Amino acid sequence: MERFVPGDDLPSEFIGKLPAYKLPVNPRTGELLESVNERRLYQPIVEGIRETLKLLGCDTLMAYQTDTYGDTVAPGSDESRDSIPFKPDITIYPTTSEAKEHYTLPLKPETIVPSPDQDGRGGEDGGTSCGYPSTKRPDANLNVPEDSNHPTPAPSNQPFESGVSRTLDVGGDSVAREHLEARMSWANAEIIIEVKGNRRRAPFSVMIPKESSESGSDILRGVERRLARGQATHYGVGIFNRQHRQHLFVLSIVYNIARIIYFDRSGAVYSRAFDHYKDPVTLATFFYRYSKMSPEERGYDPTASLASESELVLFRKLWETYPGSAMAKRNPVPVSALQHAGTQGWPVTRGFVAYDLTDKRVVYIKDSWRAVSKDLPPEFDNYRRLYDRLPSDGSVTGLLTVLAGGDVQPPTFQHTRTQDFFDNELATAPLMRRHQRLVFKEVCRRLEEFKTAYELCNVLFGALFTYQFAWEKAEILHRDISASNILIYDAPTGSLGVLADWDLAKTKDRLSNQNATQPSRSGTWQFLSALRQCFPMTPCRLSDDLESFMHVINWIARKYLKHDATSKDPEQIRMQCKRFHDIYDERAPPADTPRMSKVHSKMDYILSGTPFVRVHPLRPDNPLDTLLRSLLKLCQAHYQSDEIREIWVEPPSRAPPSPPAPARALVIVERFLDALDVDEEWWSQIEKTPDQVVSWTPAMHYIPSATGDSTESGVSNTGSKRALDSSL
């Protein structure tokens, strides 16, 4: 605690007055139970924290139970790529009037529809939710598990709000609950508390070391324990994605045992276990020190501040007035982006549309935390190298224009700390990350927002042409080709394909270093080459990036184009979603595993020459279907080459680098040109559909965690960049 929560010890006058946490006990013996339904813990923990904060004179923070009511601002629609469906058990909020507007419950009951994965069945911790062992019940008036011992009472129709008392039957005990509940608000959460009533579901060991110097592994194996660690990680991601934060705190409470977890973008560091029931001093000391911290010490970014009222009004009306109707008709993307960006709750981290008050123009800001390594130059430097080698004829149009950029808050810079607490000899130790911002001139559409199949193919060709230039002229390997890194820019001459996100790129001379720069693989899992999925420690090669282009177009086609598996039958839709998951979201091995124990689905498709998708209409002259089959044949021939055969024999870490073969990229470019040469009228017969797999929830994935262990965590099929790596 001293390193991450510095400050004075708890004054002696408070120690004897600390409130006790009234946890459920055996009524006959007065001893703690072996396990307890976690909902019976919410009220005593919330009340204990509130009484502690009141005793300490802290009236700027308040604890609430937040497991029932989801954030109505942050998620958007259920299908939104920015959706945050999770509802932590307990959240500590600031007591400002602005924050209260977002988390205070309404005056009348709401109807909350259960999520598809909430089946209402109760277990020791009340069921399942979002793939985790803890249920967040959707009932508006009741927060009671359904089980045989405690039947669900009839719902109440009485209106309520935060601050109004109501009586509920919680775990069989009739209790008065006064303003204990609030809505989840990710934009305002200060501290999140995850509660478990069953020690077997604890994210870490619940053993308390007898001596301060005693050490041992706190990372216990087991699916439910990995799920619990992944759950805490997702909560950290939720705050990072909705707030300008450098770091944050999460509390893990397993009945009477607690730990304090510090998160930043490199990983997490957790405290020793302590018994908050028998000795509440440690937890009270944490709250005492936290209450004395400045916003920056609590983890807030001092370089980001709330807009003034006049700036807020200006920004929310910009979409109506900027840049004039003529330009809006020619390029409506910036106007549409401004309209969404001015919406309450729109994401403000990782990347966002902004308005330059000085030059009076719309720009796009990328906000990220880059890995610091001599083998990974800053993204800004990569763009400068690319600009220096651009041909004068203007033939390369797939690069964004960087207006400004660099690392945040010089000369000390904002950087992570958790990497310093790993054993430097461990291969799993993460790199330091440094906060950077880049300002781009262009505001683009996502690749998934393509309008026609022809536009999709043309945009991918533009990105591929830019990639070829970067490799052959600037000698830079992108190393993260994905659907989220290929954008559509609506230029006056038409839509252009843009290849973005050069933060993982390496120059050719740096590729000779075969040691992994980071402990986890670079790239986005859904689009990694089959070879790198089978051999996680294999360095990225030119051939891997080119294969990723093939996976991008197949991935998009399966989701958004009519194909041989498109159906309206619910069972057929379910099977298609499962097949999509089996190909693109199949479970990854732990980061330190040299190879998978079985051949991956992607590899099966490639080696057998089985098409990933057959786009309608199923005719020999279908240009897109012809392109997909020709790309598959090129990839299959590559996997049958001597170069790949050597990798199956050589250990991945010593595998020879892919030889510089510009012809390989040239052949793929020619295949795209052949497809685009077909009359555009033929392309119009290829039908675009709504997302055909949007509702699919994939199985649990292994994500490298901050501990070096592999944490299971739900990953959506959005193909978002590097999943948790971009946020944690």
Side-chain angles (χ1 to χ4, degrees):
M1 188 188 297
E2 298 296 333
R3 289 190 176 98
F4 296 102
V5 195
D8 297 331
D9 289 336
L10 190 68
S12 57
E13 63 264 27
F14 291 137
I15 295 178
K17 301 177 183 178
L18 289 176
Y21 288 84
K22 301 173 184 178
L23 303 182
V25 295
N26 188 312
R28 292 189 297 271
T29 65
E31 298 292 326
L32 292 173
L33 303 168
E34 184 66 27
S35 65
V36 64
N37 189 305
E38 70 177 47
R39 280 177 185 73
R40 298 185 65 190
L41 299 175
Y42 297 163
Q43 182 185 351
I45 291 174
V46 169
E47 291 179 341
I49 292 174
R50 287 186 173 191
E51 292 176 22
T52 300
L53 292 172
K54 182 178 180 180
L55 175 67
L56 300 176
C58 178
D59 59 0
T60 59
L61 298 172
M62 182 66 73
Y64 289 95
Q65 179 180 328
T66 52
D67 74 315
T68 302
Y69 303 94
D71 193 328
T72 57
V73 175
S77 65
D78 291 338
E79 295 82 13
S80 169
R81 63 191 176 124
D82 304 300
S83 175
I84 307 178
F86 312 113
K87 299 183 285 290
D89 300 325
I90 297 170
T91 304
I92 297 179
Y93 289 121
T95 56
T96 61
S97 57
E98 294 83 2
K100 284 184 176 180
E101 289 181 6
H102 293 93
Y103 65 73
T104 300
L105 290 174
L107 290 172
K108 59 183 179 180
E110 303 170 73
T111 300
I112 301 181
V113 180
S115 300
D117 58 340
Q118 293 174 319
D119 58 12
R121 293 174 295 180
E124 287 179 307
D125 281 341
T128 60
S129 174
C130 301
Y132 296 122
S134 166
T135 295
K136 314 304 176 201
R137 284 280 310 198
D139 305 320
N141 292 310
L142 297 169
N143 186 26
V144 187
E146 287 185 12
D147 58 39
S148 58
N149 296 324
H150 308 294
T152 303
S156 167
N157 293 320
Q158 296 299 316
F160 64 92
E161 61 174 328
S162 294
V164 177
S165 300
R166 59 198 180 99
T167 301
L168 296 177
D169 178 21
V170 180
D173 300 321
S174 182
V175 297
R177 306 187 60 190
E178 186 175 1
H179 54 71
L180 295 182
E181 291 186 289
R183 182 177 300 286
M184 186 58 208
S185 174
W186 291 99
N188 294 283
E190 284 256 359
I191 299 171
I192 285 178
I193 303 173
E194 178 57 28
V195 179
K196 301 293 181 192
N198 190 327
R199 294 176 178 85
R200 291 178 299 174
R201 293 176 173 173
F204 307 101
S205 168
V206 295
M207 299 298 294
I208 299 177
K210 296 179 181 179
E211 302 292 340
S212 60
S213 60
E214 184 178 342
S215 62
S217 177
D218 292 310
I219 306 300
L220 303 180
R221 299 190 179 278
V223 172
E224 290 183 338
R225 296 182 185 278
R226 291 198 298 271
L227 286 171
R229 292 192 288 273
Q231 189 174 14
T233 302
H234 269 292
Y235 293 159
V237 171
I239 292 182
F240 279 136
N241 283 351
R242 290 288 161 173
Q243 300 181 25
H244 289 282
R245 288 285 201 126
Q246 300 182 69
H247 61 263
L248 56 91
F249 295 94
V250 172
L251 299 184
S252 171
I253 297 180
V254 183
Y255 203 175
N256 61 310
I257 303 299
R259 289 182 189 265
I260 302 166
I261 309 173
Y262 171 98
F263 278 98
D264 63 20
R265 263 58 172 214
S266 278
V269 174
Y270 53 88
S271 71
R272 293 179 180 273
F274 57 91
D275 191 328
H276 71 94
Y277 177 68
K278 293 182 178 179
D279 181 13
V281 173
T282 301
L283 193 55
T285 300
F286 167 76
F287 288 125
Y288 177 74
R289 293 181 178 180
Y290 189 88
S291 67
K292 305 294 184 184
M293 285 179 166
S294 67
E296 186 172 2
E297 289 173 325
R298 292 184 182 184
Y300 291 95
D301 181 356
T303 67
S305 58
L306 293 175
S308 66
E309 187 63 31
S310 60
E311 290 171 337
L312 187 61
V313 171
L314 170 66
F315 191 69
R316 287 184 172 170
K317 289 184 175 294
L318 270 175
W319 72 274
E320 297 175 341
T321 60
Y322 175 88
S325 57
M327 186 173 291
K329 290 179 180 178
R330 188 175 67 194
N331 183 10
V333 175
V335 177
S336 176
L338 280 173
Q339 183 178 5
H340 286 292
T343 304
Q344 186 181 35
W346 189 255
V348 295
T349 56
R350 297 173 65 182
F352 47 93
V353 177
Y355 184 65
D356 185 342
L357 290 169
T358 302
D359 294 333
K360 302 276 190 293
R361 60 181 173 184
V362 180
V363 296
Y364 187 85
I365 298 178
K366 177 180 177 180
D367 189 294
S368 61
W369 289 71
R370 68 177 183 88
V372 179
S373 168
K374 60 181 178 59
D375 291 322
L376 277 178
E379 186 174 10
F380 187 82
D381 291 353
N382 285 332
Y383 271 107
R384 286 197 297 191
R385 182 183 178 101
L386 291 166
Y387 295 153
D388 288 343
R389 290 160 176 78
L390 275 175
S392 58
D393 60 4
S395 58
V396 177
T397 58
L399 287 176
L400 295 173
T401 305
V402 179
L403 300 175
D407 294 335
V408 177
Q409 219 172 359
T412 56
F413 302 109
Q414 293 181 12
H415 57 82
T416 57
R417 298 174 59 195
T418 53
Q419 72 284 339
D420 296 334
F421 294 84
F422 286 79
D423 188 335
N424 291 330
E425 296 181 359
L426 291 176
T428 54
L431 292 173
M432 173 193 290
R433 290 186 176 271
R434 184 175 290 171
H435 193 187
Q436 72 167 3
R437 291 192 181 109
L438 297 176
V439 182
F440 295 103
K441 176 182 177 181
E442 295 83 5
V443 179
C444 301
R445 284 184 279 150
R446 295 183 299 131
L447 182 62
E448 293 171 74
E449 296 173 323
F450 71 94
K451 297 175 182 177
T452 65
Y454 183 86
E455 181 182 59
L456 170 67
C457 187
N458 191 50
V459 164
L460 284 167
F461 166 73
L464 179 62
F465 189 77
T466 303
Y467 177 88
Q468 182 184 11
F469 149 75
W471 175 248
E472 295 180 6
K473 303 301 181 184
E475 298 186 336
I476 292 180
L477 194 69
H478 189 280
R479 303 197 319 134
D480 187 21
I481 303 300
S482 70
S484 62
N485 292 342
I486 299 174
L487 306 173
I488 305 173
Y489 176 60
D490 291 288
T493 56
S495 56
L496 302 174
V498 172
L499 186 57
D501 286 354
W502 294 84
D503 51 327
L504 293 182
K506 284 187 176 182
T507 55
K508 187 180 293 185
D509 58 306
R510 287 185 168 98
L511 291 173
S512 59
N513 179 10
Q514 294 301 300
N515 295 322
T517 305
Q518 303 181 76
S520 57
R521 63 183 67 82
S522 62
T524 306
W525 173 258
Q526 286 89 345
F527 310 105
L528 286 182
S529 69
L531 185 72
R532 294 190 66 211
Q533 287 185 331
C534 289
F535 297 93
M537 306 307 290
T538 303
C540 183
R541 305 148 181 264
L542 170 65
S543 56
D544 296 309
D545 270 0
L546 294 176
E547 183 183 332
S548 292
F549 276 101
M550 179 188 74
H551 294 310
V552 168
I553 191 170
N554 278 287
W555 186 87
I556 290 286
R558 286 196 74 103
K559 283 171 69 73
Y560 296 106
L561 297 178
K562 187 175 181 181
H563 51 74
D564 54 343
T566 300
S567 174
K568 294 183 179 180
D569 179 70
E571 180 60 23
Q572 291 298 319
I573 293 174
R574 189 189 70 81
M575 291 302 297
Q576 180 194 333
C577 290
K578 183 181 184 304
R579 191 175 300 115
F580 182 93
H581 160 65
D582 289 342
I583 299 171
Y584 296 107
D585 298 307
E586 191 173 19
R587 191 177 73 179
D592 57 352
T593 302
R595 68 171 68 188
M596 293 185 70
S597 58
K598 65 183 183 68
V599 175
H600 194 271
S601 291
K602 273 186 188 174
M603 187 71 81
D604 288 336
Y605 275 79
I606 292 171
L607 293 179
S608 64
T610 304
F612 288 87
V613 62
R614 295 295 309 277
V615 177
H616 276 200
L618 296 178
R619 289 167 44 182
D621 53 347
N622 182 328
L624 182 56
D625 195 59
T626 301
L627 172 64
L628 297 181
R629 284 185 282 113
S630 65
L631 294 179
L632 177 61
K633 288 181 180 179
L634 288 172
C635 191
Q636 183 185 34
H638 171 65
Y639 274 74
Q640 294 171 347
S641 66
D642 292 338
E643 177 190 344
I644 300 300
R645 293 179 188 277
E646 290 179 11
I647 297 177
W648 290 96
V649 178
E650 285 286 320
S653 61
R654 298 203 308 270
S658 181
R664 199 175 284 160
L666 184 60
V667 171
I668 297 179
V669 168
E670 289 175 348
R671 295 292 189 272
F672 272 88
L673 286 173
D674 291 342
L676 292 170
D677 280 343
V678 177
D679 190 271
E680 194 169 343
E681 187 175 332
W682 207 114
W683 281 86
S684 64
Q685 300 179 47
I686 303 175
E687 180 182 342
K688 184 180 180 182
T689 68
D691 191 342
Q692 300 176 61
V693 291
V694 68
S695 61
W696 174 248
T697 301
M700 311 314 288
H701 287 226
Y702 284 98
I703 303 267
S705 72
T707 59
D709 180 39
S710 295
T711 304
E712 285 196 348
S713 169
V715 178
S716 71
N717 51 21
T718 60
S720 58
K721 182 176 179 180
R722 294 185 298 284
L724 299 185
D725 183 54
S726 61
S727 298
L728 275 181

